[in-house]
Amino acid sequence: MSRQSTTGTAQAEVEAGRRRERRIVRSRNYFHFILFAGPNIALILMFIYYPLVMNLRYSVLDWRLGSTTARTVGLANYKEFFTSPHGLEVWRVTIVFTVATVAGAMLLGLLMALVLNQRLPGRTLARTAIFSPYVLSGVGIGMVWNFIFDPRLGVLRYVFQYFGRTSPEWFNDPGLSLLMVIIVYIWKNLGYAAVIFIAGLQSIPTDLLEAAEIDGAGSVRKFFSVVLPLLSPTVFFLTITMVLNSMQAFDILRVMTPSGNGTNTIIFEIYLQSFGAYQRAGYAAAVSVILFITLFAVTAVQMRYVERKVHYQ
């Protein structure tokens, strides 16, 4: 009995030692995690999640920027945005701007990619030239295009004058102002789309293209039957990134149309309502929450349904 008792005690001590070692290792891992990830987590909580929670709080207030008093109005700010004619107009402008800029940049970018993917002299320089607007400052781009569209001093004035026409009032007509910023954003982003499409084209196996040619497929059929389906991952990636970027476009809109005038997308409306003439910080906070939910919903729908049509192999 004593020998069995001694053996059991030894095993218990060994097991207790193992548990102690595991606790020490676990504690050391927690310490290293807090040491290295703690500062980043603190910064994320401080500058992302805390402002998000405070923005939710402000969205239910009738509060003007700089005022020391605020009144709780519940969901009145949200209701106003979804039911007022001005809120519906903001939705319309946002949808038109997003669809036009994304579709235009992707279509033109694909055409540019098909051309620049060929063995042409100077194609590297051409790729750099079309991509450079994407990395330029939006403020600088807006100032340059302001000069181009100026109906009295701009470059386009002489183009219209050559054809015997008068340059339109781009900055005064709401419809033309929206068209103007759409053109500028397409010009800015098509280089990004072209470079991504070039990468996608170069990843297509050449043996598939050769097999299609042997089967008698022409250039058009080869593009729609082989190239375009294999580009679906690239199209999917560009759709997500460019929709999110277009819905958050601000800098060029602010420079080219400071007061809105037909270019009030959701993100620009947030700025005008909070820091513009209205200074309705509570209403702007509600609109920003709506923008956050919209971006999340658009991304979720694309990931859930659009990705099903993507061919990765």
Side-chain angles (χ1 to χ4, degrees), residues 9-304:
T9 303
Q11 291 177 350
E13 291 178 353
V14 170
E15 185 63 29
R18 290 175 179 174
R19 286 197 299 267
R20 186 165 52 252
E21 290 179 359
R22 285 196 295 266
R23 284 197 301 268
I24 293 174
V25 171
R26 192 180 300 114
S27 301
R28 187 183 299 117
N29 291 338
Y30 284 148
F31 173 75
H32 289 157
F33 173 79
I34 296 299
L35 180 63
F36 292 104
N40 293 327
I41 295 175
L43 291 174
I44 291 173
L45 292 175
M46 183 182 301
F47 293 103
I48 295 181
Y49 290 104
Y50 175 73
L52 179 62
V53 172
M54 293 302 296
N55 188 78
L56 288 171
R57 176 174 173 268
Y58 295 146
S59 68
V60 297
L61 300 177
D62 180 12
W63 175 52
R64 296 190 177 275
L65 197 65
S67 175
T68 57
T69 60
R71 181 170 59 91
T72 302
V73 294
L75 300 178
N77 291 327
Y78 296 92
K79 182 180 179 181
E80 178 182 350
F81 182 74
F82 281 109
T83 57
S84 66
H86 182 71
L88 296 177
E89 176 65 14
V90 170
W91 275 116
R92 185 193 70 83
V93 172
T94 302
I95 294 173
V96 171
F97 177 81
T98 302
V99 172
T101 53
V102 172
M106 289 183 65
L107 288 176
L108 292 177
L110 179 57
L111 293 176
M112 295 294 294
L114 292 172
V115 173
L116 296 178
N117 195 43
Q118 307 297 320
R119 296 186 178 277
L120 301 173
R123 65 175 181 173
T124 302
L125 179 61
R127 291 175 182 176
T128 305
I130 66 169
F131 183 75
S132 58
Y134 181 74
V135 297
L136 293 177
S137 167
V139 175
I141 289 175
M143 294 178 66
V144 171
W145 279 94
N146 271 342
F147 173 74
I148 294 175
F149 280 106
D150 191 297
R152 293 164 184 80
L153 302 174
V155 177
L156 279 180
R157 168 182 176 271
Y158 298 98
V159 176
F160 282 100
Q161 192 176 47
Y162 177 80
F163 291 100
R165 305 291 298 273
T166 303
S167 179
E169 294 291 335
W170 299 96
F171 301 96
N172 297 328
D173 189 320
L176 292 178
S177 296
L178 181 58
L179 176 62
M180 175 180 66
V181 294
I182 287 174
I183 292 173
V184 175
Y185 263 96
I186 290 176
W187 174 81
K188 183 179 187 297
N189 293 327
L190 71 88
Y192 168 74
V195 169
I196 301 299
F197 273 127
I198 290 174
L201 290 171
Q202 292 179 349
S203 66
I204 296 177
T206 56
D207 54 349
L208 294 178
L209 301 177
E210 294 171 355
E213 293 178 357
I214 293 175
D215 290 339
S219 300
V220 176
R221 184 177 179 183
K222 183 171 61 175
F223 173 77
F224 285 101
S225 299
V226 179
V227 175
L228 197 56
L230 293 177
L231 279 178
S232 57
T234 305
V235 174
F236 176 66
F237 170 78
L238 282 174
T239 302
I240 291 180
T241 56
M242 297 189 72
V243 165
L244 297 181
N245 288 336
S246 292
M247 293 193 70
Q248 298 178 82
F250 173 77
D251 47 4
I252 293 178
L253 296 177
R254 175 66 179 84
V255 173
M256 299 191 69
T257 56
S259 60
N261 191 31
T263 63
N264 294 40
T265 59
I266 293 182
I267 189 73
F268 198 22
E269 180 69 8
I270 294 171
Y271 168 80
L272 293 174
Q273 290 290 340
S274 56
F275 301 104
Y278 307 104
Q279 294 189 346
R280 300 180 61 193
Y283 180 76
V287 179
S288 65
V289 173
I290 294 171
L291 176 61
F292 171 78
I293 296 174
T294 302
L295 294 176
F296 182 83
V298 169
T299 305
V301 169
Q302 289 177 325
M303 296 293 292
R304 180 68 175 85

